Amino acid sequence: MTTHAAAAPGSNYLTNGFSLKSWLLTKDHKRIAILYMISITVFFVLGGLFAFVVRLELLTPAGDLMEADTYNRMFTMHGVVMIFFFLIPSIPAVLGNFLVPIMIGAKDLAFPKINLASWYLYNIAGVITLAAIAMGGVDTGWTFYTPFSTTYANGYVVLTVVGLFINGFSSIFTGLNFIVSIHRMRAPGLTWFRLPLFIWGHYATSLVIMLGTPVIAITLALLAAERALHLGIFDPALGGDPILFQHLFWFYSHPAVYIMILPSMGVISEIISAFTRKKIFGYHFVAFASIAIAILGFLVWGHHLFVSGQSIYAGLVFSVLSMLVGVPSAVKVFNWMATLYQGSISRQTPMLYALGFIGLFTIGGLTGVMLATIGLDVHVHDTYFVVAHFHYIMVGGAIMGYLGGIHFWWPKMTGRLYPNFWSKLSAGLVFVGFNLTFFPQFILGYLGMPRRYWSYPDEMQVLNVLSTAGATILGVGYAMPLFYLLWSLKGGRVADDNPWGAYGLEWETSSPPPTENFLHDPVVTGGPYDYAELERKRG
Amino acid sequence: MSHHVVSRKLYFGIFAALMVLTVITVAVAFVDLGRLNDVVMLAIATLKAVLVILYFMHVKYSGKLTALTVVGGFMFFFIMIAMIMMDYIGRGFLG
Amino acid sequence: MADLAHSGGVHEAHHPKLQHHFEDLDQQREASTLGMWLFLVTEIMFFGGLFCAYLIYRGASFDAFAEASRSLDLYLGGFNTAVLIGSSLTMALAVWAAQVSKRKALIVFMILTIVLGAVFLGVKVIEYSGKFAHHHVPGDSFEWAPPYGDPANEAGTEMFFSLYFAMTGLHAAHMIIGMGFLAYLLIPAWQGKFNADWYNPVECFGLYWHFVDIVWIFLFPLLYLIGRH
């Protein structure tokens, strides 16, 4: 791989204009990524606060901290904010926006204006949803099942749904930009199988976004029409079927899990390769596994409906197909393990997150295979076992990937290094706190504690206290980067172009990159993760 | 830039074909074919859509990627329908 | 056919419509066409959810749907089908006019497309107001009685009209947005900015308009023709 980028003293995307207008009207994908990072952090903190309130209520067996109705609103808001406003946009809109154009050697994404519009739509959607929360919230759970949401719920369902509808556009705009850019704007010589796995992950995720998001948009629109205008599409009184809502809802919302996890897997591949100084073992398999997960992900949604009245025959098919998703996921995990084998491993902060990801994702994935088995699912359906399972995937998978990625590319994004001690401590706290929060929930669920309940039998208190204690540690672990990363902007050591000695186009331009990404258009002559070549060049 | 300019004659031809197919589908609707009516109706509509996609939307003259995008889009639509239908047929909801 | 456009890199490098992050107009054009097609894929899935609901309830309330469908005006529906296919033709011809740099023809075809769209929506207004007058709008005031059909079918027919309004309403919303865009594109068309070198916005808009036409091609038989025999 050869580029002719030299450090450009004093001129980069951050110094290119300091006015508020130069940020709010920017078309630079890197600045939009920073804008997204700020917005997403706000929602992450909010979602975290809702979660903390939920855990606090569950500290004691009796429902004593708040009304049951308030509790319903809290877990609903936690789900809505975390899923739609943090997990789905997090890695694509922040790291993807920043890195996809640089990694493909382009000056920007294909549609910069649409990219900026995406950020505005995200914020408008966020404000609308927050307005619904401020006015009293929603109590339907983030799944909005009919007919509860259309007929009986007394929260601000329509307003929330309007927010989510708009948010869908911001998601689609990002996905559309990625697919077009990856197809049409790769640097000369950058063939598909020379692309970093980060790009493959984002390509696969964009496919899911494009095919899934419109379906939830129409579903939520119909839900709003039914609630506000009495247009009865899911109304049993008119011969309608509420289960149809669940089908259409999960047609998006199950693949949405892959929207969260696929980019995270891309991040993990980059980190593991960089800190073992090896090419990812079975690169082609890992790349195709991303596409396979994206496609298989659309064939399995019915496993959310095993106890809903769905046909048992359909349930069988969905059960078998769900287990198939385990295959490409396992391919990835095994290949990461094989990459570690005999690698020259350095335990930098991003690597700690990546190693944490592998362990937690494996637990989340394997319990997912358990849940795909109809017989077992009937037993643990809607219990804390399910809650623990999907948090292992979404928090243990997606958020570990997001934080790992932030720590990996922070020097590139800001030109500063963060303090090693604090970042490693925070990674450790996140890992310990996470397991302490969610592992007891597997046991709780297996003992029969249902999700979404605000009180529980006395004998379940020990495990619940453990879980709440873990959540506190997790909260501290999450809060710490906020401080030391902000501090590093002023006080951190200045990073050079390639502080980790990693391989990739983004490490060949300056830190932070210039506005046009490269001073000279890059030409790619070699495959990905060619660390032997890199060692030769660095001497 | 290399792109195909479709002749006006062809556009008018496609328009005529679409109108003729519309007349046919209305006519067939008045003939009782039982449940086959719906099938014929959808087949004619699909044929019309294919004509529009290939000629008015120039997919016939575009690259493989465009064709793949169109086919892929419809494929996932059919996956959605097929797998939801699997449930409804399995529990006898459709009468 | 490829010779209609200039292929000289020097000329294109200075084309006012070439954005800085693209190498040349070719790359820019291919990017926006692919982007438009991907957007249309999301539209397929968007309408797809509704079509899916229709197919299931059509199967579940087979006779009620046929009865409700019979109450729609076949003449108005057929007329509108012809109008919309006609507007697809004028839109295709507008793209042709841009491709061969005929400014006047382009403007005429664009205006014709808008006019045909307006006719379609006008007819839709007539149909909708009829539904309100006859209490065929879903909700508390919905009524299903002779001469339209059997009151026993009220639930199924109300479901039909729910779908009717959702589908045609969404389709009409797409047309209104489309007509707005087309009117907006008339400004650069008037200024003569579209020609053989650069007509990408007209082409991409054409794709959108034809897609809206395709949706109607399916809506017409599903809504107007299922109960005619």
Side-chain angles (χ1 to χ4, degrees):
Chain A
M1 190 182 288
T2 57
T3 63
H4 311 283
S11 159
N12 60 55
Y13 81 100
L14 290 170
T15 54
N16 180 23
F18 293 95
S19 64
L20 192 62
K21 195 180 145 206
S22 76
W23 279 90
L24 292 182
L25 295 180
T26 184
K27 279 179 256 161
D28 183 348
H29 65 100
K30 298 181 288 302
R31 287 196 162 201
I32 296 170
I34 301 293
L35 292 173
Y36 251 120
M37 192 200 286
I38 296 167
S39 304
I40 276 169
T41 307
V42 170
F43 280 99
F44 182 57
V45 171
L46 264 176
L49 288 177
F50 289 126
F52 194 66
V53 172
V54 167
R55 275 320 319 166
L56 219 51
E57 166 63 61
L58 293 174
L59 203 53
T60 55
D64 41 15
L65 186 67
M66 61 191 98
E67 297 291 316
D69 196 40
T70 319
Y71 180 79
N72 290 348
R73 281 155 211 266
M74 286 300 153
F75 72 67
T76 302
M77 286 308 168
H78 166 65
V80 167
V81 168
M82 282 301 203
I83 286 171
F84 294 107
F85 293 98
F86 176 73
L87 285 165
I88 285 172
S90 60
I91 297 181
V94 179
L95 297 171
N97 254 338
F98 196 95
L99 291 160
V100 166
I102 302 182
M103 283 185 173
I104 62 174
K107 293 191 185 77
D108 207 321
L109 286 170
F111 311 111
K113 276 187 209 159
I114 288 182
N115 198 19
L116 180 64
S118 152
W119 180 71
Y120 276 102
L121 287 172
Y122 170 84
N123 283 300
I124 293 169
V127 167
I128 292 175
T129 309
L130 289 183
I133 294 174
M135 287 159 72
V138 195
D139 60 348
T140 57
W142 77 278
T143 49
F144 301 104
Y145 274 11
T146 55
F148 180 65
S149 58
T150 48
T151 315
Y152 306 105
N154 55 10
Y156 289 83
V157 176
V158 174
L159 199 59
T160 313
V161 160
V162 168
L164 300 185
F165 188 90
I166 296 172
N167 195 38
F169 279 98
S170 96
S171 216
I172 285 175
F173 284 176
T174 304
L176 193 146
N177 243 326
F178 286 170
I179 296 183
V180 173
S181 306
I182 294 170
H183 268 290
R184 292 296 187 215
M185 301 179 73
R186 299 192 310 275
L190 190 52
T191 56
W192 280 89
F193 292 110
R194 288 177 175 176
L195 288 172
L197 290 165
F198 183 86
I199 298 293
W200 279 96
H202 275 75
Y203 185 80
T205 245
S206 304
L207 290 179
V208 182
I209 290 177
M210 300 306 285
L211 292 164
T213 315
V215 178
I216 191 141
I218 188 69
T219 313
L220 294 179
L222 291 175
L223 167 81
E226 184 160 337
R227 189 173 165 94
L229 309 171
H230 304 285
L231 218 63
I233 308 279
F234 305 114
D235 186 354
L238 304 181
D241 183 17
I243 296 176
L244 179 62
F245 175 86
Q246 298 181 24
H247 275 300
L248 294 174
F249 178 85
W250 288 111
F251 182 85
Y252 166 78
S253 296
H254 187 76
V257 177
Y258 305 118
I259 296 178
M260 305 167 198
I261 204 73
L262 283 168
S264 188
M265 290 168 156
V267 170
I268 299 307
S269 295
E270 299 298 315
I271 295 177
I272 287 185
S273 160
F275 293 105
T276 50
R277 316 207 58 72
K278 277 173 73 184
K279 183 174 176 171
I280 289 288
F281 184 85
Y283 166 90
H284 286 74
F285 285 92
V286 179
F288 279 123
S290 294
I291 307 296
I293 291 174
I295 293 172
L296 280 176
F298 276 104
L299 309 177
V300 303
W301 79 82
H303 62 226
H304 294 269
L305 284 73
F306 283 158
V307 300
S308 69
Q310 173 184 248
S311 150
I312 185 72
Y313 307 109
L316 284 170
V317 175
F318 279 122
S319 172
V320 172
L321 289 172
S322 302
M323 291 180 198
L324 281 185
V325 182
V327 177
S329 309
V331 164
K332 287 192 176 230
V333 171
F334 286 132
N335 282 313
W336 288 325
M337 303 301 282
T339 311
L340 292 174
Y341 180 67
Q342 289 196 337
S344 119
I345 299 173
S346 63
R347 284 177 283 281
Q348 299 283 1
T349 313
M351 189 61 169
L352 297 183
Y353 279 108
L355 294 173
F357 173 99
I358 296 179
L360 301 182
F361 174 76
T362 304
I363 295 178
L366 287 176
T367 50
V369 178
M370 288 169 73
L371 288 169
T373 320
I374 295 190
L376 184 80
D377 184 75
V378 170
H379 177 61
V380 293
H381 185 86
D382 262 353
T383 68
Y384 266 80
F385 192 87
V386 177
V387 175
H389 153 69
F390 71 69
H391 279 91
Y392 264 82
I393 295 288
M394 292 177 189
V395 185
I399 301 186
M400 293 295 265
Y402 177 67
L403 287 177
I406 292 283
H407 283 88
F408 187 48
W409 284 292
W410 186 260
K412 180 55 62 184
M413 295 168 96
T414 63
R416 297 286 181 155
L417 291 164
Y418 44 81
N420 254 326
F421 171 77
W422 292 106
S423 58
K424 285 184 182 176
L425 178 66
S426 120
L429 286 180
V430 166
F431 186 78
V432 172
F434 175 85
N435 280 300
L436 190 55
T437 312
F438 292 105
F439 203 83
Q441 296 187 4
F442 277 126
I443 307 168
L444 277 172
Y446 210 78
L447 293 175
M449 176 161 167
R451 65 193 284 204
R452 297 179 169 170
Y453 276 37
W454 71 323
S455 65
Y456 52 85
D458 290 339
E459 61 265 31
M460 289 177 177
Q461 189 171 12
V462 177
L463 290 166
N464 269 298
V465 169
L466 282 178
S467 182
T468 301
T472 316
I473 299 174
L474 188 59
V476 174
Y478 281 153
M480 279 168 60
L482 215 56
F483 294 101
Y484 64 73
L485 287 180
L486 280 177
W487 173 84
S488 78
L489 291 177
K490 283 273 173 235
R493 273 192 301 125
V494 174
D496 64 20
D497 291 357
N498 191 356
W500 314 116
Y503 188 92
L505 273 180
E506 79 270 30
W507 302 111
E508 300 195 21
T509 186
S510 56
S511 299
T515 300
E516 60 278 17
N517 292 343
F518 301 96
L519 295 181
H520 303 282
D521 294 344
V523 177
V524 179
T525 53
Y529 312 117
D530 194 351
Y531 278 93
E533 161 82 13
L534 189 71
E535 302 298 340
R536 264 200 304 282
K537 264 195 339 205
R538 290 162 74 93
Chain B
M1 290 199 282
S2 59
H3 19 93
H4 194 91
V5 178
V6 180
S7 74
R8 279 174 293 175
K9 226 166 146 187
L10 184 56
Y11 281 144
F12 282 111
I14 297 298
F15 173 73
L18 292 171
M19 296 306 278
V20 169
L21 285 170
T22 307
V23 172
I24 291 176
T25 192
V26 172
V28 172
F30 284 94
V31 183
D32 191 355
L33 305 170
R35 290 239 170 185
L36 258 185
N37 270 98
D38 289 15
V39 178
V40 173
M41 216 167 68
L42 283 175
I44 294 176
T46 307
L47 181 60
K48 285 163 78 179
V50 168
L51 287 178
V52 173
I53 290 172
L54 285 183
Y55 295 97
F56 281 179
M57 298 170 95
H58 300 168
V59 169
K60 191 168 194 289
Y61 314 101
S62 311
K64 275 185 209 148
L65 182 61
T66 312
L68 188 71
T69 310
V70 181
V71 172
F74 280 105
M75 197 182 79
F76 275 86
F77 170 54
F78 286 124
I79 287 177
M80 174 168 74
I81 300 243
M83 298 200 66
I84 293 182
M85 280 296 176
M86 181 175 75
D87 168 26
Y88 283 90
I89 292 168
R91 62 183 144 117
F93 186 88
L94 300 179
Chain C
M1 289 297 172
D3 50 326
L4 282 159
H6 300 266
S7 51
V10 180
H11 175 84
E12 286 180 0
H14 295 285
H15 197 281
K17 286 296 173 188
L18 179 64
Q19 291 168 289
H20 81 282
H21 57 292
F22 288 110
E23 294 290 319
D24 51 36
L25 278 178
D26 250 0
Q27 192 193 26
Q28 185 172 336
R29 175 176 177 272
E30 283 174 355
S32 50
T33 312
L34 178 61
M36 195 63 210
W37 272 110
L38 285 169
F39 176 71
L40 293 184
V41 166
T42 70
E43 290 277 23
I44 292 173
M45 299 308 286
F46 189 63
F47 279 97
L50 263 178
F51 276 98
C52 187
Y54 176 93
L55 288 177
I56 285 160
Y57 294 143
R58 159 73 172 146
S61 314
F62 197 78
D63 296 329
F65 267 46
E67 197 173 288
S69 165
R70 265 196 297 279
S71 78
L72 300 184
D73 191 325
L74 184 55
Y75 290 103
L76 290 182
F79 174 74
N80 254 354
T81 306
V83 167
L84 206 54
I85 292 176
S87 83
S88 245
L89 175 69
T90 56
M91 193 59 228
L93 291 170
V95 175
W96 166 83
Q99 282 177 325
V100 296
S101 304
K102 288 189 192 297
R103 174 177 162 269
K104 260 190 207 151
L106 171 65
I107 295 169
V108 168
F109 284 128
M110 284 168 82
I111 293 177
L112 266 178
T113 308
I114 296 178
V115 168
L116 288 171
V119 170
F120 179 95
L121 290 174
V123 172
K124 214 73 225 154
V125 169
I126 298 172
E127 288 188 272
Y128 272 22
S129 57
K131 304 280 171 297
F132 277 96
H134 301 126
H135 297 283
H136 287 173
V137 181
D140 298 337
S141 62
F142 185 83
E143 228 176 67
W144 191 248
Y148 297 104
D150 183 357
N153 283 335
E154 183 165 316
T157 51
E158 191 174 344
M159 177 61 81
F160 176 87
F161 282 106
S162 284
L163 285 162
Y164 169 85
F165 278 102
M167 293 170 116
T168 58
L170 205 61
H171 178 260
H174 275 78
M175 291 194 63
I176 293 169
I177 293 168
M179 286 159 66
F181 262 107
L182 200 48
Y184 174 72
L185 284 181
L186 268 176
I187 303 167
W190 187 267
Q191 293 165 340
K193 291 203 173 141
F194 299 128
N195 51 49
D197 279 341
W198 175 250
Y199 57 87
N200 213 346
V202 185
E203 190 188 24
C204 285
F205 177 80
L207 293 178
Y208 174 85
W209 194 259
H210 296 310
F211 173 81
V212 175
D213 185 27
I214 289 174
V215 172
W216 184 260
I217 283 176
F218 283 97
L219 285 184
F220 173 62
L222 289 179
L223 295 175
Y224 289 81
L225 296 180
I226 53 173
R228 297 294 164 182
H229 50 270

